[in-house]
Amino acid sequence: MIIMAKSDNFKDHNKIAEENIVCGESMKEYLEPRFECPICLTWLRDPVLTSCGHKFCSQCIYTWLQKEGACCPVDGKSLKSESDLFRDLYTSREISQQRIPCLYQQFGCETKMSPVDMEAHINECTYKQSFPDSQIIYCSFKNVGCMETFHNEEDLHAHLEQNINIHLTMMAKILPQLSVLKNNVNAVAVESKLWDPPPKNTMEKNEPPLEWQQLLKNLYERIVVLEQQSKELSITVSNQKTQLTTLQTSLQCCQEEMFLRSCNGVYIWRLPSFHEKLESMMKDSLKMFYSPGFYTSPNGYKICARINISSKEPEFLSLLLHIMKSDNDDGLDWPFNGTMYFVLVHPYNWEKDIREITSSRPDLEAFRKPVCELNKRSFGYTEFVRIQDLPDFLQNDCLIFRIEVRVYDKFRTPI
Amino acid sequence: MANIAALRIQREFKEVIRSEEVAKCAIKVELVNDSFTELKGEIAGPPDTPYEGGNFVLEIKVPETYPFNPPKVRFITKIWHPNISSVTGAICLDILKDQWAAAMTLRTVLLSLQALLSAAEPDDPQDAVVARQYKEHPEMFRQTAKHWTYVYAGGPAKMPDLDDKIRRLTDMGIEEHNARVALSSYNWDLERATEQLFS
């Protein structure tokens, strides 16, 4: 009996010792470098030893050596897959003797196995469940009272960017408390110095805590980044402003051009502040006013009107038309052939309008294809209206002419 | 993405995060998407170089064949360096091309780039203009690189005389970065830069 009991005890001791060993092995958190493949950074699978003394998974090193001129990934010595690689059964055996805990240990699985068996076990492990998406990340300003948490870095960054003011306020609130605290610490330190032997190595106590330094540093960094960003943005904005102004101007030009092109030969010429214009013409007998060039149709003739004081009869105002050069000219018939209506519009009573109609004459130079910007010769009425009659036609000091130019349509057969 | 590439990046990610260089704020890696194919790297300009005090952001794209092929790395922060394109940020570094080895990691790549900032290879240039300046006007190169570090990477050294020349061009309606490139390329010769910009 006694002997039996002794042997039982002995067995128990043995068992405990054995368990400790297994436990000690399995508690290793990180992979030992000698069991790690430098290519995939996991446990060596079917380890292979190279002639230069490095170990790799067989699949990893063979895949690598398929590349042209590939050398040892660790030291760059040339390797031939047929002669420089050897199966490393020794390491293979050592790995199969390692014991590591199941991947789902935290969910209750207590199985321990060699890395070689891990894959098979994981597939049938009854404790298998998915891990939470990611660890919870706390706001960097947790220490000053921001209790926000995040699941990824992006959310944290967005939060940091949006809440700079709130974080700064939190810091400002906590700073005075901190200095009070520091004073207390100093007071305690001074008191304790009376009792304690002098410290062996005097530490700098005025330095703010390390995490605060880090926090400040982060803040400075953010400020620099933000300043840079705002600088870049303001440059972009000012560039876009200039672009917008140019665009607006060109748009305005385009609209005017569009209007002049699509007026179908009917142009209402408004002459605001006419008195001023009249005076300048009186002073200088060569002074003339031109209307913008308008078109008889979008692809038709370009024409402008002109007024000036008649050189022969100074009490008359002349109203004349010039044919202008345009891109359409090559596709048009020359000399110009059509009818022109000249109307000085009476502001209140259309019966008092001054109206004149005339047709073009092929023999005149004025109707030939222009060779310069504006045909030198014009056509119209040199004595269109008496200057003394003009005030009757003014409304708000604005004079209005209507010019209508109709091109003779040779395709329309008279009925 | 092939499983091995994603798994390896996950492991490397932990390696970089744990490494002592991160503790010294010298290198940093961040995820851009969930699939580990795109990362954002950051390196500090090495001391005793014109890049000191600057923070340089890198775009890292991990190919499906990683680690058998190198990651694609490019500077996002604009930088003046003979082996880095001042236009695209493309890098001329052997280990990112034919000298890549499968045992290299993101950490070693970032440290190599830091080393490249310390020791340029003007005979194997990516940006010929910069390389010529580096060889022919070394002091001018230092000034320019320092200025770019200040403007784009948050470096410490402000250079009022260089800023002044840039302002002269921006006043003429030239975009600031274009003005800086033109001046840098012509050794800060205002006349020649102007000529080039308006020709």
Side-chain angles (χ1 to χ4, degrees):
Chain A
M1 275 295 283
I2 295 160
I3 295 164
M4 283 283 281
K6 263 187 184 170
S7 75
D8 267 354
N9 265 347
F10 187 66
K11 257 187 193 168
D12 275 349
H13 273 296
N14 248 354
K15 212 175 166 188
I16 290 165
E18 211 174 271
E19 268 175 9
N20 274 342
I21 289 166
V22 172
C23 190
E25 289 283 327
S26 69
M27 286 309 279
K28 261 182 206 137
E29 251 191 58
Y30 303 122
L31 188 52
E32 273 182 71
R34 64 191 173 116
F35 295 136
E36 188 189 69
C37 167
I39 294 180
C40 64
L41 304 180
T42 50
W43 290 88
L44 286 163
R45 261 177 214 227
D46 299 329
V48 168
L49 186 66
T50 66
S51 55
C52 50
H54 299 109
K55 286 180 250 176
F56 302 95
C57 303
S58 97
Q59 205 194 344
C60 288
I61 189 67
Y62 280 112
T63 313
W64 171 250
L65 289 179
Q66 275 165 18
K67 284 186 57 163
E68 212 179 317
C71 305
C72 171
V74 178
D75 64 6
K77 293 223 171 80
S78 80
L79 290 180
K80 286 202 182 74
S81 48
E82 58 277 9
S83 57
D84 292 320
L85 302 181
F86 315 97
R87 290 194 71 189
D88 187 351
L89 294 175
Y90 176 79
T91 307
S92 192
R93 202 155 41 237
E94 271 202 299
I95 290 176
S96 67
Q97 282 162 3
Q98 303 294 312
R99 286 293 174 269
I100 56 167
C102 171
L103 193 64
Y104 301 108
Q105 186 188 30
Q106 65 184 98
F107 303 123
C109 182
E110 288 174 357
T111 320
K112 283 163 182 132
M113 71 221 91
S114 88
V116 184
D117 301 330
M118 179 67 95
E119 203 171 335
H121 169 78
I122 278 175
N123 281 332
E124 54 198 29
C125 179
T126 46
Y127 294 94
K128 189 172 177 176
Q129 51 174 288
S130 54
F131 287 95
D133 277 356
S134 57
Q135 286 167 316
I136 291 173
I137 306 170
Y138 289 99
C139 171
S140 325
F141 291 84
K142 185 181 170 219
N143 290 337
V144 292
C146 183
M147 298 315 286
E148 294 282 332
T149 56
F150 309 92
H151 291 291
N152 59 48
E153 294 260 334
E154 268 170 66
D155 290 350
L156 172 64
H157 283 305
H159 166 78
L160 286 180
E161 242 166 67
Q162 286 162 11
N163 296 291
I164 293 169
N165 283 336
I166 296 174
H167 289 151
L168 279 176
T169 322
M170 285 174 174
M171 285 194 55
K173 269 189 199 157
I174 228 157
L175 256 173
Q177 296 175 20
L178 196 77
S179 50
V180 168
L181 213 69
K182 205 178 92 184
N183 287 343
N184 285 350
V185 169
N186 283 347
V188 170
V190 168
E191 222 169 82
S192 61
K193 262 184 199 157
L194 296 177
W195 295 92
D196 292 346
K200 276 167 193 159
N201 48 350
T202 42
M203 290 273 287
E204 266 301 324
K205 284 195 175 159
N206 291 334
E207 287 267 311
L210 205 63
E211 54 198 87
W212 281 89
Q213 284 179 7
Q214 189 57 39
L215 204 60
L216 276 175
K217 194 166 169 266
N218 286 345
L219 273 176
Y220 277 129
E221 276 171 9
R222 274 223 64 74
I223 290 173
V224 170
V225 171
L226 286 174
E227 273 178 352
Q228 163 95 4
Q229 278 173 352
S230 94
K231 207 157 120 191
E232 280 170 13
L233 279 177
S234 65
I235 291 170
T236 334
V237 167
S238 78
N239 284 347
Q240 277 169 350
K241 253 186 212 163
T242 25
Q243 275 177 3
L244 204 64
T245 332
T246 12
L247 273 179
Q248 273 172 342
T249 335
S250 74
L251 186 70
Q252 215 174 353
C253 288
C254 276
Q255 275 177 340
E256 276 166 25
E257 172 75 13
M258 274 291 291
F259 170 72
L260 291 168
R261 261 190 190 267
S262 56
C263 71
N264 278 326
V266 182
Y267 183 71
I268 313 283
W269 189 15
R270 288 185 175 80
L271 287 149
S273 45
F274 185 72
H275 267 113
E276 207 179 295
K277 292 189 170 75
L278 191 63
E279 258 173 50
S280 69
M281 286 191 287
M282 298 278 220
K283 264 187 222 157
D284 176 3
S285 62
L286 291 174
K287 177 90 186 170
M288 298 170 180
F289 286 94
Y290 291 87
S291 77
F294 57 95
Y295 291 75
T296 58
S297 64
N299 295 315
Y301 300 89
K302 189 182 182 186
I303 289 166
C304 73
R306 181 190 107 194
I307 54 163
N308 59 282
I309 296 197
S310 173
S311 48
K312 288 179 195 156
E313 302 282 343
E315 68 257 44
F316 280 95
L317 189 73
S318 312
L319 177 61
L320 299 142
L321 297 186
H322 281 278
I323 296 190
M324 295 175 79
K325 201 179 191 173
S326 83
D327 300 337
N328 305 333
D329 287 352
D330 288 341
L332 296 170
D333 294 328
W334 298 101
F336 169 83
N337 190 359
T339 318
M340 288 150 276
Y341 298 71
F342 296 82
V343 184
L344 175 56
V345 182
H346 191 279
Y348 311 112
N349 189 348
W350 61 272
E351 285 176 346
K352 288 187 184 172
D353 287 356
I354 297 178
R355 292 157 182 268
E356 301 289 348
I357 304 175
T358 178
S359 285
S360 64
R361 281 162 46 191
D363 54 318
L364 290 183
E365 203 184 313
F367 299 110
R368 288 201 197 136
K369 190 176 174 180
V371 284
C372 47
E373 190 56 31
L374 191 96
N375 242 348
K376 287 223 172 69
R377 292 301 174 93
S378 58
F379 184 78
Y381 296 88
T382 45
E383 287 110 46
F384 185 74
V385 58
R386 258 175 211 287
I387 287 164
Q388 65 185 61
D389 293 342
L390 280 175
D392 201 24
F393 290 87
L394 285 174
Q395 185 185 25
N396 299 333
D397 200 19
C398 177
L399 197 67
I400 301 174
F401 290 104
R402 190 169 79 238
I403 318 284
E404 290 187 39
V405 181
R406 290 189 197 151
V407 181
Y408 169 70
D409 185 354
K410 59 178 141 183
F411 292 110
R412 189 192 290 166
T413 45
I415 302 158
Chain B
M1 191 179 201
N3 206 22
I4 174 163
L7 277 176
R8 211 184 102 140
I9 291 291
Q10 283 183 39
R11 283 171 204 284
E12 280 191 43
F13 209 71
K14 286 181 187 147
E15 182 202 42
V16 181
I17 287 170
R18 265 204 300 267
S19 73
E20 52 185 294
E21 293 90 359
V22 171
K24 283 186 272 172
C25 299
I27 60 171
K28 198 159 116 188
V29 181
E30 277 172 24
L31 275 180
V32 174
N33 60 17
D34 293 336
S35 60
F36 291 94
T37 51
E38 270 183 51
L39 306 165
K40 196 181 105 178
E42 220 176 291
I43 55 175
D48 301 321
T49 68
Y51 311 104
E52 183 171 5
N55 248 338
F56 298 89
V57 180
L58 298 150
E59 175 191 86
I60 305 172
K61 288 193 173 153
V62 182
E64 280 194 17
T65 49
Y66 187 78
F68 300 105
N69 285 307
K72 293 187 171 59
V73 187
R74 164 179 101 77
F75 273 82
I76 291 182
T77 308
K78 293 194 190 330
I79 183 167
W80 192 252
H81 186 284
N83 303 103
I84 301 159
S85 164
S86 60
V87 182
T88 61
I91 305 164
C92 181
L93 183 62
D94 53 0
I95 64 149
L96 291 176
K97 292 171 186 161
D98 51 334
Q99 291 301 307
W100 168 256
M104 291 176 181
T105 62
L106 293 178
R107 182 175 154 266
T108 51
V109 166
L110 292 183
L111 292 177
S112 303
L113 285 173
Q114 225 173 14
L116 183 69
L117 295 191
S118 306
E121 305 253 11
D123 293 320
D124 185 18
Q126 175 78 31
D127 195 312
V129 177
V130 186
R132 203 174 62 221
Q133 189 183 60
Y134 182 91
K135 284 170 131 178
E136 292 172 5
H137 305 278
E139 185 48 37
M140 192 65 87
F141 165 80
R142 280 188 63 80
Q143 296 282 324
T144 311
K146 233 180 187 175
H147 171 73
W148 280 53
T149 306
Y150 166 72
V151 177
Y152 298 112
K158 193 173 162 64
M159 301 180 160
D161 48 331
L162 301 191
D163 286 333
D164 237 34
K165 286 186 180 172
I166 290 173
R167 204 168 309 115
R168 294 271 291 278
L169 287 178
T170 52
D171 285 348
M172 286 189 243
I174 305 284
E175 201 268 320
E176 186 184 323
H177 177 67
N178 294 345
R180 180 169 296 113
V181 171
L183 284 166
S184 303
S185 310
Y186 285 102
N187 297 326
W188 297 89
D189 181 331
L190 195 58
E191 255 173 52
R192 287 181 59 203
T194 317
E195 203 174 284
Q196 189 257 332
L197 282 167
F198 286 99
S199 64

